[in-house]
Amino acid sequence: MEPGSGPGSGPWAATACVVTGASRGFGRSLARLLAPQLGPGSVLLLLARSAEALTELAAELRAGSATGSATGSAGLRVQCVAADLGCEEGLRTAGAALRELLQDASFGRLLLVNNAGSLGDVSKSFLDLTDLEEINTYFSFNISSALCLTSTALRAFGARPGCSRTVVNISSLCAREPFRSWALYCAGKAARDMLFQVLALEEPGVRVLNYAPGPLDTDMQLLARTKTGDPGMRQHFQRLQENGQLIESSVSAQKLLQLLQEDSFPSGAHLDFYDI
Protein backbone atom coordinates (compact mmCIF):
# COMPACT_ATOMS: atom_id res chain seq x y z
CA MET A 1 0.00 0.00 0.00
CA GLU A 2 1.28 3.47 -0.86
CA PRO A 3 2.39 5.76 1.99
CA GLY A 4 -0.45 7.95 3.16
CA SER A 5 -3.10 5.71 1.63
CA GLY A 6 -3.81 3.71 4.80
CA PRO A 7 -7.24 3.45 6.32
CA GLY A 8 -6.56 6.23 8.80
CA SER A 9 -5.81 8.86 6.13
CA GLY A 10 -9.36 10.01 5.42
CA PRO A 11 -12.26 8.44 3.51
CA TRP A 12 -11.48 5.12 1.88
CA ALA A 13 -11.75 5.87 -1.83
CA ALA A 14 -12.38 3.15 -4.43
CA THR A 15 -13.16 0.56 -1.75
CA ALA A 16 -15.13 -2.64 -2.23
CA CYS A 17 -16.64 -3.25 1.21
CA VAL A 18 -18.60 -6.43 1.92
CA VAL A 19 -20.53 -7.13 5.13
CA THR A 20 -22.29 -10.45 5.71
CA GLY A 21 -25.16 -10.76 8.19
CA ALA A 22 -25.85 -7.09 7.50
CA SER A 23 -29.62 -7.03 8.01
CA ARG A 24 -29.68 -6.74 11.81
CA GLY A 25 -27.65 -6.56 15.01
CA PHE A 26 -23.93 -5.97 14.82
CA GLY A 27 -23.76 -6.24 11.02
CA ARG A 28 -26.40 -3.55 10.55
CA SER A 29 -24.69 -1.24 13.05
CA LEU A 30 -21.33 -1.75 11.36
CA ALA A 31 -22.75 -1.06 7.89
CA ARG A 32 -24.15 2.24 9.18
CA LEU A 33 -20.71 3.24 10.47
CA LEU A 34 -18.79 2.05 7.42
CA ALA A 35 -20.98 3.87 4.88
CA PRO A 36 -19.77 7.41 5.70
CA GLN A 37 -16.17 6.13 5.79
CA LEU A 38 -16.32 5.02 2.15
CA GLY A 39 -15.13 7.62 -0.32
CA PRO A 40 -15.61 8.20 -4.07
CA GLY A 41 -15.75 5.13 -6.27
CA SER A 42 -16.68 2.82 -3.39
CA VAL A 43 -19.34 0.12 -3.17
CA LEU A 44 -20.91 -1.31 -0.02
CA LEU A 45 -22.22 -4.84 -0.63
CA LEU A 46 -24.66 -6.04 2.02
CA LEU A 47 -25.34 -9.77 2.39
CA ALA A 48 -28.04 -11.41 4.52
CA ARG A 49 -31.02 -13.77 4.31
CA SER A 50 -33.72 -11.11 4.69
CA ALA A 51 -34.28 -9.20 1.45
CA GLU A 52 -36.76 -6.84 3.13
CA ALA A 53 -34.40 -5.83 5.95
CA LEU A 54 -31.52 -5.36 3.50
CA THR A 55 -33.65 -3.16 1.25
CA GLU A 56 -34.61 -0.99 4.23
CA LEU A 57 -30.99 -0.58 5.30
CA ALA A 58 -29.78 0.15 1.77
CA ALA A 59 -32.46 2.83 1.36
CA GLU A 60 -31.36 4.43 4.64
CA LEU A 61 -27.70 4.44 3.59
CA ARG A 62 -28.46 5.75 0.10
CA ALA A 63 -30.56 8.54 1.60
CA GLY A 64 -27.68 9.40 3.91
CA SER A 65 -25.35 9.41 0.92
CA ALA A 66 -27.61 11.81 -0.97
CA THR A 67 -27.88 14.24 1.95
CA GLY A 68 -24.34 13.85 3.27
CA SER A 69 -25.63 12.72 6.66
CA ALA A 70 -23.77 10.65 9.26
CA THR A 71 -25.01 7.38 7.72
CA GLY A 72 -23.88 7.99 4.16
CA SER A 73 -21.03 9.09 1.95
CA ALA A 74 -21.56 11.21 -1.16
CA GLY A 75 -21.93 9.04 -4.23
CA LEU A 76 -21.74 5.75 -2.33
CA ARG A 77 -23.18 2.79 -4.21
CA VAL A 78 -25.00 0.25 -2.04
CA GLN A 79 -25.79 -3.23 -3.33
CA CYS A 80 -27.87 -5.92 -1.61
CA VAL A 81 -27.68 -9.68 -2.02
CA ALA A 82 -30.33 -11.74 -0.24
CA ALA A 83 -28.89 -15.22 0.17
CA ASP A 84 -28.96 -18.01 2.73
CA LEU A 85 -25.28 -18.78 3.25
CA GLY A 86 -26.20 -22.04 4.95
CA CYS A 87 -27.24 -23.70 1.68
CA GLU A 88 -25.34 -24.33 -1.55
CA GLU A 89 -27.67 -22.24 -3.70
CA GLY A 90 -27.35 -19.23 -1.41
CA LEU A 91 -23.58 -19.56 -1.26
CA ARG A 92 -23.41 -19.75 -5.07
CA THR A 93 -25.55 -16.61 -5.32
CA ALA A 94 -23.31 -14.74 -2.88
CA GLY A 95 -20.12 -15.98 -4.56
CA ALA A 96 -21.33 -14.91 -7.99
CA ALA A 97 -22.17 -11.43 -6.66
CA LEU A 98 -18.69 -11.12 -5.15
CA ARG A 99 -16.96 -12.21 -8.36
CA GLU A 100 -19.02 -9.77 -10.43
CA LEU A 101 -18.30 -6.86 -8.07
CA LEU A 102 -14.61 -7.53 -7.51
CA GLN A 103 -13.63 -7.97 -11.16
CA ASP A 104 -13.80 -4.16 -11.36
CA ALA A 105 -10.16 -3.10 -11.65
CA SER A 106 -10.89 0.41 -10.34
CA PHE A 107 -11.05 -0.77 -6.72
CA GLY A 108 -7.92 -0.11 -4.71
CA ARG A 109 -9.13 -1.58 -1.45
CA LEU A 110 -11.05 -4.64 -0.33
CA LEU A 111 -12.68 -4.91 3.09
CA LEU A 112 -14.59 -8.11 3.82
CA VAL A 113 -16.37 -8.51 7.16
CA ASN A 114 -17.50 -12.07 7.93
CA ASN A 115 -20.23 -11.33 10.43
CA ALA A 116 -22.98 -13.84 9.53
CA GLY A 117 -23.42 -16.53 12.14
CA SER A 118 -25.92 -18.31 14.36
CA LEU A 119 -26.08 -19.54 17.94
CA GLY A 120 -27.43 -23.02 17.26
CA ASP A 121 -29.73 -24.96 19.56
CA VAL A 122 -28.27 -24.03 22.96
CA SER A 123 -30.96 -25.97 24.79
CA LYS A 124 -28.86 -29.07 24.05
CA SER A 125 -25.85 -30.38 25.95
CA PHE A 126 -22.91 -32.09 24.26
CA LEU A 127 -24.57 -35.50 24.79
CA ASP A 128 -27.77 -34.30 23.09
CA LEU A 129 -25.94 -33.54 19.83
CA THR A 130 -26.48 -36.80 17.96
CA ASP A 131 -28.17 -35.59 14.75
CA LEU A 132 -25.50 -35.45 12.03
CA GLU A 133 -27.64 -33.35 9.71
CA GLU A 134 -28.19 -30.71 12.42
CA ILE A 135 -24.46 -30.60 13.19
CA ASN A 136 -23.38 -30.42 9.54
CA THR A 137 -25.96 -27.74 8.78
CA TYR A 138 -24.67 -25.64 11.66
CA PHE A 139 -21.02 -25.91 10.64
CA SER A 140 -21.82 -25.38 6.97
CA PHE A 141 -23.35 -21.99 7.73
CA ASN A 142 -20.98 -20.91 10.50
CA ILE A 143 -17.64 -22.18 9.18
CA SER A 144 -17.75 -23.38 5.58
CA SER A 145 -19.59 -20.38 4.17
CA ALA A 146 -17.11 -17.91 5.71
CA LEU A 147 -14.20 -19.90 4.26
CA CYS A 148 -15.76 -20.14 0.79
CA LEU A 149 -16.79 -16.47 0.63
CA THR A 150 -13.39 -15.26 1.80
CA SER A 151 -11.40 -17.40 -0.62
CA THR A 152 -13.78 -16.42 -3.45
CA ALA A 153 -13.41 -12.71 -2.65
CA LEU A 154 -9.63 -12.79 -2.36
CA ARG A 155 -9.23 -14.77 -5.59
CA ALA A 156 -11.58 -12.41 -7.44
CA PHE A 157 -9.86 -9.27 -6.15
CA GLY A 158 -6.34 -10.62 -6.67
CA ALA A 159 -3.04 -9.14 -5.51
CA ARG A 160 -3.20 -5.70 -7.12
CA PRO A 161 -0.03 -3.59 -6.79
CA GLY A 162 -0.43 -0.79 -4.24
CA CYS A 163 -3.83 -2.06 -3.09
CA SER A 164 -4.92 -3.16 0.37
CA ARG A 165 -6.96 -6.21 1.36
CA THR A 166 -8.45 -6.62 4.83
CA VAL A 167 -10.54 -9.53 6.09
CA VAL A 168 -12.39 -9.38 9.41
CA ASN A 169 -13.87 -12.37 11.19
CA ILE A 170 -16.45 -11.53 13.85
CA SER A 171 -15.29 -13.82 16.62
CA SER A 172 -16.23 -14.34 20.27
CA LEU A 173 -14.86 -15.12 23.70
CA CYS A 174 -16.32 -18.55 22.88
CA ALA A 175 -13.48 -19.07 20.41
CA ARG A 176 -11.17 -19.13 23.43
CA GLU A 177 -13.26 -20.49 26.32
CA PRO A 178 -15.78 -23.36 26.62
CA PHE A 179 -19.35 -22.50 27.61
CA ARG A 180 -21.76 -25.19 28.83
CA SER A 181 -24.61 -25.91 26.35
CA TRP A 182 -22.74 -24.00 23.64
CA ALA A 183 -20.66 -26.80 22.09
CA LEU A 184 -21.60 -25.97 18.50
CA TYR A 185 -21.16 -22.22 18.91
CA CYS A 186 -17.81 -22.51 20.71
CA ALA A 187 -16.49 -25.04 18.19
CA GLY A 188 -17.64 -22.92 15.27
CA LYS A 189 -16.04 -19.75 16.59
CA ALA A 190 -12.78 -21.55 17.46
CA ALA A 191 -12.62 -23.09 13.99
CA ARG A 192 -13.23 -19.75 12.30
CA ASP A 193 -10.50 -18.07 14.33
CA MET A 194 -8.02 -20.75 13.32
CA LEU A 195 -9.02 -20.58 9.65
CA PHE A 196 -8.28 -16.87 9.59
CA GLN A 197 -5.02 -17.31 11.50
CA VAL A 198 -3.93 -19.72 8.76
CA LEU A 199 -4.98 -17.16 6.13
CA ALA A 200 -2.81 -14.54 7.85
CA LEU A 201 0.19 -16.91 7.71
CA GLU A 202 -0.33 -17.97 4.11
CA GLU A 203 -1.13 -14.51 2.74
CA PRO A 204 1.09 -11.88 4.39
CA GLY A 205 -0.25 -9.29 1.93
CA VAL A 206 -3.72 -9.63 3.45
CA ARG A 207 -4.58 -7.93 6.75
CA VAL A 208 -6.58 -10.35 8.91
CA LEU A 209 -8.41 -9.60 12.16
CA ASN A 210 -10.48 -11.79 14.48
CA TYR A 211 -12.62 -9.30 16.43
CA ALA A 212 -14.70 -10.41 19.43
CA PRO A 213 -17.39 -7.72 19.89
CA GLY A 214 -18.31 -8.59 23.49
CA PRO A 215 -21.76 -9.50 24.89
CA LEU A 216 -24.04 -7.54 22.59
CA ASP A 217 -27.61 -6.46 23.31
CA THR A 218 -29.07 -8.38 20.36
CA ASP A 219 -31.57 -11.13 19.53
CA MET A 220 -28.76 -13.65 20.05
CA GLN A 221 -28.39 -12.57 23.67
CA LEU A 222 -32.14 -12.89 24.14
CA LEU A 223 -31.84 -16.51 22.98
CA ALA A 224 -28.85 -17.03 25.26
CA ARG A 225 -30.68 -15.97 28.41
CA THR A 226 -33.95 -17.74 27.60
CA LYS A 227 -32.93 -20.94 25.79
CA THR A 228 -29.52 -21.99 27.17
CA GLY A 229 -29.91 -25.46 28.67
CA ASP A 230 -27.39 -25.09 31.49
CA PRO A 231 -29.10 -23.20 34.37
CA GLY A 232 -25.90 -21.52 35.56
CA MET A 233 -25.09 -20.21 32.09
CA ARG A 234 -28.67 -19.03 31.59
CA GLN A 235 -28.55 -17.11 34.87
CA HIS A 236 -25.18 -15.63 33.91
CA PHE A 237 -26.66 -14.16 30.73
CA GLN A 238 -29.74 -12.96 32.62
CA ARG A 239 -27.51 -11.12 35.11
CA LEU A 240 -25.60 -9.43 32.30
CA GLN A 241 -28.88 -8.02 31.03
CA GLU A 242 -30.24 -7.09 34.46
CA ASN A 243 -27.00 -5.33 35.46
CA GLY A 244 -26.80 -3.32 32.24
CA GLN A 245 -23.60 -5.05 31.14
CA LEU A 246 -24.67 -5.80 27.58
CA ILE A 247 -22.98 -3.69 24.93
CA GLU A 248 -24.88 -1.74 22.27
CA SER A 249 -23.96 -3.02 18.81
CA SER A 250 -23.11 0.49 17.62
CA VAL A 251 -20.60 0.97 20.47
CA SER A 252 -18.74 -2.24 19.66
CA ALA A 253 -18.90 -1.56 15.91
CA GLN A 254 -17.27 1.83 16.56
CA LYS A 255 -14.35 0.07 18.25
CA LEU A 256 -13.93 -2.21 15.25
CA LEU A 257 -13.98 0.79 12.92
CA GLN A 258 -11.29 2.40 15.08
CA LEU A 259 -9.12 -0.72 14.75
CA LEU A 260 -9.54 -0.67 10.98
CA GLN A 261 -8.73 3.03 10.76
CA GLU A 262 -5.59 2.70 12.88
CA ASP A 263 -4.61 -0.49 11.00
CA SER A 264 -1.89 -1.39 13.52
CA PHE A 265 -3.16 -4.78 14.72
CA PRO A 266 -0.90 -7.82 14.10
CA SER A 267 -2.39 -9.74 11.18
CA GLY A 268 -4.24 -12.82 12.43
CA ALA A 269 -4.71 -11.37 15.92
CA HIS A 270 -7.74 -12.07 18.12
CA LEU A 271 -8.80 -8.79 19.72
CA ASP A 272 -11.68 -8.44 22.15
CA PHE A 273 -13.86 -5.37 22.75
CA TYR A 274 -12.46 -5.20 26.29
CA ASP A 275 -8.84 -5.26 25.04
CA ILE A 276 -9.17 -1.95 23.26
Side-chain angles (χ1 to χ4, degrees):
M1 192 162 49
E2 297 299 323
S5 67
S9 58
W12 303 340
T15 297
C17 181
V18 181
V19 181
T20 71
S23 63
R24 58 182 183 168
F26 184 80
R28 190 180 184 93
S29 293
L30 183 62
R32 284 173 166 153
L33 287 174
L34 285 170
Q37 181 66 33
L38 300 172
S42 295
V43 172
L44 177 57
L45 179 64
L46 306 173
L47 273 160
R49 279 177 287 194
S50 171
E52 184 178 354
L54 282 179
T55 301
E56 279 181 18
L57 176 59
E60 174 192 326
L61 298 180
R62 290 187 187 111
S65 169
T67 60
S69 77
T71 56
S73 171
L76 174 67
R77 290 176 288 163
V78 183
Q79 296 181 8
C80 299
V81 178
D84 181 354
L85 300 181
C87 68
E88 287 188 29
E89 182 183 355
L91 200 51
R92 280 196 297 270
T93 298
L98 283 178
R99 283 189 291 270
E100 182 178 355
L101 173 67
L102 298 178
Q103 68 183 359
D104 186 340
S106 69
F107 291 124
R109 183 189 309 277
L110 169 65
L111 172 60
L112 170 60
V113 182
N114 289 287
N115 170 65
S118 63
L119 191 56
D121 187 349
V122 291
S123 71
K124 295 181 176 180
S125 71
F126 187 105
L127 299 185
D128 294 324
L129 295 169
T130 57
D131 184 336
L132 185 60
E133 184 178 357
E134 176 189 1
I135 295 165
N136 285 343
T137 297
Y138 182 84
F139 287 137
S140 179
F141 175 48
N142 287 279
I143 303 172
S144 304
S145 71
L147 170 57
C148 289
L149 279 185
T150 302
S151 56
T152 295
L154 290 174
R155 288 175 69 91
F157 192 81
R160 306 176 186 185
C163 293
S164 73
R165 295 167 292 165
T166 301
V167 175
V168 179
N169 168 44
I170 301 305
S171 184
S172 169
L173 177 63
C174 295
R176 299 293 188 88
E177 295 184 14
F179 282 44
R180 290 182 180 87
S181 300
W182 286 30
L184 291 180
Y185 188 78
C186 290
K189 288 299 187 184
R192 269 172 61 152
D193 261 35
M194 186 53 71
L195 280 174
F196 288 101
Q197 287 179 56
V198 171
L199 172 62
L201 276 180
E202 289 185 355
E203 299 291 338
V206 178
R207 304 281 289 135
V208 182
L209 173 64
N210 292 303
Y211 174 69
L216 301 175
D217 191 6
T218 61
D219 292 343
M220 190 176 282
Q221 267 293 324
L222 177 60
L223 283 175
R225 63 180 179 266
T226 57
K227 301 296 185 185
T228 297
D230 182 78
M233 287 299 302
R234 197 166 59 247
Q235 289 163 14
H236 166 72
F237 293 121
Q238 289 167 354
R239 283 195 298 271
L240 286 179
Q241 196 260 342
E242 290 164 2
N243 296 336
Q245 292 175 286
L246 296 180
I247 301 162
E248 289 295 328
S249 291
S250 58
V251 173
S252 186
Q254 183 62 54
K255 280 206 177 183
L256 173 55
L257 180 60
Q258 177 188 333
L259 285 170
L260 294 172
Q261 289 170 327
E262 293 172 354
D263 197 30
S264 59
F265 56 85
S267 191
H270 174 107
L271 295 179
D272 190 278
F273 175 86
Y274 293 109
D275 296 335
I276 304 156

